[in-house]
Amino acid sequence: MPEIKVTPLGAGQDVGRSCILVSIGGKNIMLDCGMHMGFNDDRRFPDFSYITQQGRLTEFLDCVIISHFHLDHCGALPYMSEMVGYDGPIYMTHPTKAICPILLEDFRKITVDKKGETNFFTSQMIKDCMKKVVPLNLHQTVQVDDELEIKAYYAGHVLGAAMVQIKVGSESVVYTGDYNMTPDRHLGAAWIDKCRPDILISESTYATTIRDSKRCRERDFLKKVHETVERGGKVLIPVFALGRAQELCILLETFWERMNMKAPIYFSTGLTEKANHYYKLFITWTNQKIRKTFVQRNMFEFKHIKAFDRSYADNPGPMVVFATPGMLHAGQSLQIFKKWAGNEKNMIIMPGYCVQGTIGHKILNGQKKLEMENRQTLEVKLQVEYMSFSAHADAKGIMQLIRMAEPRNMLLVHGEAKKMEFLKDKIEQEFTINCFMPANGETTTVITNPSVPVDISLNLLKREMALGGPLPDPKKPRTMHGTLIMKDNSLRLVSPEQALKELGLNEHQLRFTCRVQYRKTEFTIFIVLFDLLLKKCYTIQHLPDGTVMVESIVIKVSSSAEEPNTKVLLLSWSYQDEDLGSFLSTLLKKGLPSGLSSM
Amino acid sequence: SYNTSKPLPQEEAPAKKLRLTKPSKSAALHIDLCKASNPTDALQYLLHFARSSVEAESVEGVVRILLEHYYKEQDNSVRLKIASLIGLLSKTQNFNPESILDDTLNTFNTEKSHQVLAQLLDTLLVIGTQLPESLIVRHRLIEVAYKHLSDTYFGVRNKCLQLLGCLGNVDTPLNKDGQGLVPAVIGDAQSLISDYFADQDPRVRTAAIKAMLQLHERGLKIQQTIYDQACQLLCDDYEQVRSAAVQMVWVLSQLYPESIVPIPSSNEQVRLVDDSFGKISHMVSDGSWVVRVQAAKTLGNMLQVSPHFLEQTLDKKLMSDLRRKRTAHERAKELYASGEFSSGRKWADDAPKEKVDTSAVNLIASGACGAFVHGLEDEMYEVRIAAVDALSALAQSSASFAEKCLDFLVDMFNDEIEEVRLQSIHVLRQISTNITLREDQLDTVLAVLEDSSRDIREALHELLCFTNVSTKECIQLALLELLKNLTKYPTDRNSVWKCLKFLGCRHPTLVLPLVPELLSTHPYFHTPEPDMDDPAYIAVLVLVFNAAQSCPTMTALFSDHTFRHYTYLRDSLSHLVPPLRLPGRTQAPGVSGIEGSGSVESAQLFLQQSLSRISTIHNLQDPGAQDLLNFTIRDLQRLGELQTELAGAADFSATYLRCQLLLTKALQEKLWTMAVPLCLKHNAMATAAAKQMLEETYKLEFLYSGLENRQVATIHHVRLQAKALQLVLTARTRRGVEPLISVCEKFLQEVESFQRLFVVELPHLQESFVGKLLDLSPKLSACKPGELVKILQTTLRQSGFLNLQLPKQVQRASATIIEPTGESDNPLRFTSGLVVALDIDATLEHVQDPHNTVKVQVLYPDGQSHVIQPKPGDFRSPGPHRHRLITQVYLSHSAWTEACQIEVRLLLAYSSSRLCKAVWSDSSTEGLQPAEGATEGTIPFGKPVKVFIMPKPARR
């Protein structure tokens, strides 16, 4: 049986370093190639040796698809393509292609320049890697080769995030990447058509969450920021450079404008400007409001938000600072946090998910004393708030997507095992489909039942049409006679005569015969039988030699020499009239309580 | 009901020409088609032919020729065009398509092409809709449709279904005499159509649903058996099918709301309307926004739904399935309250605590769960607006739901699209009568006061006028925010005051504890007297005084200056400050007449008294009549200023009386008996009076709304008097009879048309000028101009005073220009010859149909004036009888040496013919509109505003 295999190298019952291998219809596809925020060693990248122990990956992979530009989905890309070695095509959407190298370069800088790591990919490698990228448009079907095709759908989440449908023949897999089912201030909601894939691979970050309406969240967020600023405190919002940051910026920008607030808002990293540039550019990927109003004013041209300088952190008075990275594990956000953590007037708002092991995760769990490098401890006095602003689908959203796509099987990745378990139960119960949640390195195999296309000869079809009414009834399957010829990698259904002709074979007739013995006294049954047949509109012919033909069935009555009291009924029918023949024979036999018959 | 689709007649060419071309028309077509050597040519001829019009008599001939070619033609596209032409021709006015029906039907016997068949069916549809009465024709057409329903081409099936929907039997089959003609199957169009709900082509499925809806619209009662099928169609792959299915399900839910449907996979049952409500709610999270809009809109029309289903639409967390609704409802709620799902507001509150009985909880809500939560969060604002509207409709029918949806509506005040924000404010206002806002809700609502959009702020003020709040903190909060608003946007002054007036009226007991703080009084110390011109202080006083109205103890807390300010404000802002019963203070005598009790009733009484006092005048020439008129006019004007409710009526009466006064003055003089050359001065005075009277009558007629026939007749009567006066004056000043004849004729015509128009009112006008005139009417038309003038002169003088009957509600149209304020000293500079846009913002009250009547006039210092008609889109309607004009007018002028003021004012355009139509449309005189009586003109209303402009010469 044909099957589809899915093996997560990362993100299996885990968040971070998304990397999923899919084998479908003889093609191998890598979905995402990310890094893990929580680790600084080899575990940072997916284990590519799973694919091959030595040598390049090119011959084992047909293509690589990157869903969006977050580092946990593309961070390992230059390592894979340049250091491990892969020369095949890498697919991503235009915005992802534009923004991805900026983030990779930033990541490289932090790792190499700040932490002093060696044996890391270089700027040149990023450039070389990006040269292998083939851009995708939304809803554009891209033919990777003759059989494999991929198609991108809008996923919300961040600018340029896409869900991908991978299709070989009639088998298909949809990978969602990260997606968001509720629209926000700058992005729309994910959408997919009823493509009924064999497997839907979905993220499940918020498998057990059902979020409040986003308006409540927005209001809460604004209120918290407003209150802190009013009493002169500083607000730190750790974000990843792109994505939520823009969302929150738009939110604060409009709020500042409306409330006529004076406190400065800063954005910490230099790459923001570059990134905002891309947001301005890819306006078609944003939501309805921004798309419709950008002629008057591009929402990404911020009036109140200025670039941050390191020295500003010590300025007196209230301010709001967006700083990267989002999980407080390194970089500027961590530096500012250290400076502000001691003052209870200040506030930190964690707008998203934090991986275990990061400082973000620790303070969210209420840790009041943090151990820093050099055995220093940091006391956390500032208020810690959590506002779920990360643009992942919640449990309800995931269910909604399943309903939209109607998959035959479900596979969960990018989430915590415990939570996945819960959602898995729900899915199986609600949709009565199988749901899988493989761990890293574990392979899930799904047996598919692909439809096999067969060419049918027009003559045969017409003949069938003539036989059974003008319109095929879509509600009922219909049987037909024909010969299936499998030849030269193609399947054809033709009429038997044509098949014989093509194959140069002779036609053999197959006939069944059957003999029934009657006593003379019981012979009346024969007459009853004929009446019955006549009523059913069968053509009955009496031949000169005493035989009777019912359609093509021959019925011959002869008296046996040994037993004069009995008569022998000889039935003979061709294979084509099997239905009628067997009907007749059983009828005749049933009618004879003591009848003897032989075939 | 399909007659409406008839096209306009196309007979513009003169009749003679038509007759000439008539025989050649079909012949030419015939020749053309014969000439055509290939299909392309033929198609060209046909296309050309389609542009010309054919008169009814020759249609039949043309159709025959077309059909003749039809049978000869091999090419499908040409045949298709012919088929469509036949349909077009059958719509010709005065043509009975029945005559070509047989010929058209015959074509079906030979036609093989599916596309052409579809077009032919379309033609049949056109013919069928032209002949809705003929049962036989309908049966024949249906028969054809039935025959082709099984066609393999979707277009043919589509058209067949459309035919069935438009023409299918609406009455129950087998009760008409057409029975013999039609097999029973055809009679039951409904079951036939429903068979195609499962067609393989989505377009056919859509057509089938639409046909069914069409049958419903035509009055057929759709059977409930279709319900299941319709529900299945909600899950169709194609959006147009789903969208139509939503409508279908809704129709069924309205037809059989109370019937009980079983719930699959359980042995429970629900009402059909609840079941369908759940299913349509589900569609609010559909993949296609078209369907979402449809679903959200439909929800607003399902008022019979049970309350607990309705309330689920606002509950996202409640995940109980519709199927288990009755049993699991409570259990599910507990589960989620126990934290099984996190809200996303607290970190790590989403760790699963206990294994749930999964059979009891469903994540995906197939019920109404959270439909509105989804709808209000939708990406497309079209969906959000539809959801807000639906909320409004449902909340108005259920008070408890209104209470629940409050939070959601308040949340919508922060929507990114202004239209949505505005709509939700309006909706909240509509449902706010039975709602009390909590403090946090009020907080969110008040935050919107800082919105930079004036529309939003004013809508919010309007909302606050109708809002109930629960605590004194709320009042304080509201006052604080409103004062902030006032300082930020001083132009909102009136709106804010009005808002505080209502707040005070509604919550006297909540205001009471705040009074010392609000008035900053101190038990021992005198506090400085606040500035009386400060709008913020006035705002506070408005709030306090209105609260004090129904809270007598409050006045004890006032300090001396407060009482003084009260008296001042009571006089200057009487519409905002109510009369108070002040302890230990006797009212100043003199004003007691009106102000004693100050209520509307007493003012009304006063008005009536004044008018009845006037009615004692029998003849205007009576001694003392003038004085009485003078006094009454003064009283009425004052009354109008004090009692805004009666301003319209008072003004109206005063104006009317002024007209009478003018007439009296003009007639009274003894000078009439003098020789003409001696009284030039008097003549000039009388002429001016006549002119002013005329102007006033137009104001009376068009500036006031709520007038009844009686008043209009009275106004016209005054107009006739004025015209008679003019005529008399003309006769006196001019020599010679010639010019007088035409003037007299015109006057007599007017008298005649007056008689015609106000035939009903004539009995009341017996003693009046017109009454007397009409008594003499046979003599009038015969007499010479000179005699006529004499008659008029005496009749005018002798006729009795016509009493004014006031209608219940008279409102005077008014306009206030808010922007520009006219206070700016900075001239608007622009290069001469080019244009500059001036923003105009004005409120209009009691103006009917402002889109057509209100115009902006710009007066330049050199006497030039421009009248600008604002676009219909510039008018908004923030409340009943209120309109807001926000527009830009373009100014231009050649260079001036220094800045000068231009005047901007609003005009109310009128046209008597238009108004006649509006007023008399239901009377018997309809169709006799006197075109000669149509006067057009404009009345300036509202204060003009002066704007400094400075056109500078262009720099070279």
Side-chain angles (χ1 to χ4, degrees), chain A residues 509-516 518 526 529-530 533 538-558 568-578 580-582 584-585 588 599:
Chain A
Q509 285 261 343
L510 191 63
R511 280 195 89 84
F512 300 99
T513 48
C514 161
R515 190 193 290 263
V516 188
Y518 280 93
F526 198 55
L529 175 70
F530 273 102
L533 288 174
Y538 290 108
T539 51
I540 299 178
Q541 285 176 296
H542 293 270
L543 295 181
D545 59 345
T547 52
V548 178
M549 293 271 288
V550 181
E551 301 279 317
S552 72
I553 299 162
V554 183
I555 305 173
K556 204 170 180 179
V557 188
S558 58
V568 175
L569 211 63
L570 198 73
L571 278 164
S572 163
W573 65 90
S574 71
Y575 156 74
Q576 281 87 350
D577 274 320
E578 160 68 17
L580 184 59
S582 51
L584 271 179
S585 69
L588 286 170
M599 279 291 278

Side-chain angles (χ1 to χ4, degrees), chain B residues 705 813-815 844-850 853-854 881 883 908 941:
Chain B
S705 58
S814 64
L844 312 168
E845 298 211 36
H846 303 292
V847 180
Q848 288 161 333
D849 192 19
T853 53
V854 174
H881 306 299
H883 289 274
L908 190 74
F941 73 133

Side-chain angles (χ1 to χ4, degrees), chain A residues 211-254:
Chain A
R211 262 174 288 173
D212 260 341
S213 91
K214 61 160 183 174
R215 289 176 202 285
C216 295
R217 265 179 283 149
E218 284 174 5
R219 217 178 47 205
D220 271 12
F221 172 76
L222 293 173
K223 211 173 168 186
K224 277 172 190 164
V225 173
H226 190 119
E227 279 168 8
T228 313
V229 168
E230 292 248 293
R231 65 166 182 258
K234 297 179 169 64
V235 183
L236 172 65
I237 307 170
V239 286
F240 289 105
L242 298 159
R244 284 316 82 200
Q246 271 70 21
E247 163 80 4
L248 295 175
C249 281
I250 287 183
L251 200 57
L252 278 189
E253 165 87 11
T254 43

